[in-house]
Amino acid sequence: MQRALELAAKGRGNTSPNPLVGAVVVATGGAVVGEGYHERAGSDHAETIALRAAGDRAKGATLYITLEPCDHVGKTPACTQAIIDAGVKRVVIAVEDPDPQVCGRGVQRLREAGIELSEGIEKDAAAALNRAYLHHRTNTRSFVALKLAASIDGAIAPRAGVRHRLTGAKAAAFVYDLRYEHDAVLVGVHTAVTDDPELTVRPTRARAVPYLRIVADSHGRLPLTSHLVRDAAATPTMIATTAAIPAERRDALVERGVEIVTCATTSDGRVDLADLLFQLAQRGILSVLCEGGPTIAAALLAQKLVGKIYWLVAPEILGSATVAPVITSFAGAARLRIESAVMLGEDVLIEAVPAT
């Protein structure tokens, strides 16, 4: 199963809105005779690829799968039928698929065919691998990962409105990988105006599903000369706004290739982020990486919309009042469970999830 998880991870950034799935066929005696992973939406599923590689050696073998196999016909045939036709004796499944088209049906079909089943092997690792997919299938909103960076004393800049690079090259490379793995990246308009970011993946890597850049901008303040607008025709870019955006501003952005999505408005006139995430989920976007500043980060945390936090701590003391969002703007209490803390060059990366 650990090998199946390794294979599944190879599909990162390319399978959305489908899950990451790996499969391994083990013959009697313990020899691996076939393996595969789901490479991209619309392509063959992991089980089909592994069984095809195994051929006749799949008969009487054990099939290890990181996610419950599908029992419906979509762009590809039902995996349960392929498993039954191959003569597999036993199937080991890491985690159940909560998708209504699959949930329990794949397991039931295999049992009815007389195939021995084992479930829950490496369940936690499999669930972590498909955290965004499982969230999407059990909620009405896209999964949110929040990336934050601060100095040791909790500052994000020497003073308000100043662009300041805190972290080093290894941290930057890590963030580029995060962008690639998520379907979209989100920033607030203040960050977009102050930093004028490109929000691209470097070096450039093509995704099977185009990567989307999103700016939460209730009044359409993003300059037409910004990087995000200037190359919108080449890199999908969205402005999440409200009915308050001036019509001429909307038209100018659309003319330059920016997609405009109108969201509900909060009591203080900002973009309702819960509504934005709902709309994104409806279009099949599993995960959103937020790289915004204190305002948008605090709003996401306050509404309990964050599923994972990547907190980078730089070895620097700024002595500034421009501190990280959870210290000032966030008026609630968020208990987290730290999953890991590692060095990235000179910086520290802390990965945490909401405590249950």
Side-chain angles (χ1 to χ4, degrees), residues 10-313:
K10 291 184 177 183
R12 289 183 189 274
N14 287 304
T15 62
S16 185
N18 292 351
L20 296 163
V21 184
V24 176
V25 183
V26 179
T28 303
V32 173
V33 294
E35 59 182 35
Y37 69 96
H38 185 46
E39 295 184 15
R40 59 185 61 211
S43 69
D44 288 339
H45 288 190
E47 303 93 317
T48 302
I49 297 170
L51 292 170
R52 185 188 303 131
D56 293 339
R57 295 172 295 179
K59 188 173 180 62
T62 297
L63 173 64
Y64 293 83
I65 322 171
T66 58
L67 190 70
E68 179 182 6
C70 65
D71 188 47
H72 63 281
V73 178
K75 293 182 179 179
T76 58
C79 290
T80 51
Q81 191 60 53
I83 294 169
I84 294 168
D85 292 345
V88 170
K89 180 181 179 181
R90 178 172 176 249
V91 173
V92 181
I93 300 169
V95 66
E96 186 179 80
D97 189 339
D99 189 301
Q101 295 187 87
V102 182
C103 188
R105 293 174 56 183
V107 168
Q108 181 181 353
R109 178 74 186 283
L110 295 179
R111 283 206 177 101
E112 290 173 350
I115 294 175
E116 180 185 346
L117 285 170
S118 297
E119 300 178 66
I121 308 302
E122 294 288 348
K123 179 179 179 180
D124 291 344
L129 182 68
N130 270 312
R131 185 177 273 136
Y133 171 81
L134 298 176
H135 175 91
H136 182 270
R137 292 303 193 270
T138 54
N139 293 272
T140 59
R141 296 185 294 268
S142 299
F143 180 85
V144 174
L146 176 61
K147 190 277 292 184
L148 298 163
S151 62
I152 286 178
D153 60 339
I156 61 173
R159 59 185 183 278
V162 174
R163 183 175 184 178
H164 179 74
R165 177 176 290 279
L166 282 165
T167 53
K170 287 192 176 181
F174 173 78
V175 173
Y176 293 148
D177 285 341
L178 278 183
R179 290 177 187 172
Y180 182 80
E181 292 175 13
H182 290 77
D183 295 338
V185 61
L186 170 67
V187 298
V189 67
H190 180 75
T191 294
V193 172
T194 301
D195 295 348
D196 192 21
E198 296 180 53
L199 299 179
T200 52
V201 177
R202 285 171 273 181
T204 301
R205 286 179 284 170
R207 279 176 44 108
V209 178
Y211 167 76
L212 178 65
R213 305 177 302 181
I214 307 170
V215 180
D217 183 3
S218 58
H219 289 78
R221 294 195 293 116
L222 184 65
L224 300 180
T225 55
S226 67
H227 280 118
L228 293 170
V229 174
R230 290 206 312 266
D231 66 354
T235 304
T237 304
M238 172 192 292
I239 297 294
T241 189
T242 68
I245 185 174
E248 63 275 12
R249 191 65 168 179
R250 173 191 289 269
D251 293 344
L253 289 165
V254 170
E255 183 180 343
R256 287 161 174 78
V258 176
E259 179 183 1
I260 303 295
V261 171
T262 303
C263 301
T265 309
T266 61
S267 58
D268 58 354
R270 301 180 188 275
V271 171
D272 186 325
L273 297 174
D275 182 51
L276 169 61
L277 294 170
F278 172 80
Q279 293 193 51
L280 294 175
Q282 296 306 298
R283 58 193 288 170
I285 291 179
L286 300 187
S287 60
V288 177
L289 174 66
C290 178
E291 292 190 48
T295 301
I296 195 167
L300 288 167
L301 288 166
Q303 295 182 65
K304 301 187 184 305
L305 299 174
V306 177
K308 180 156 185 175
I309 293 177
Y310 297 92
W311 193 299
L312 288 158
V313 181

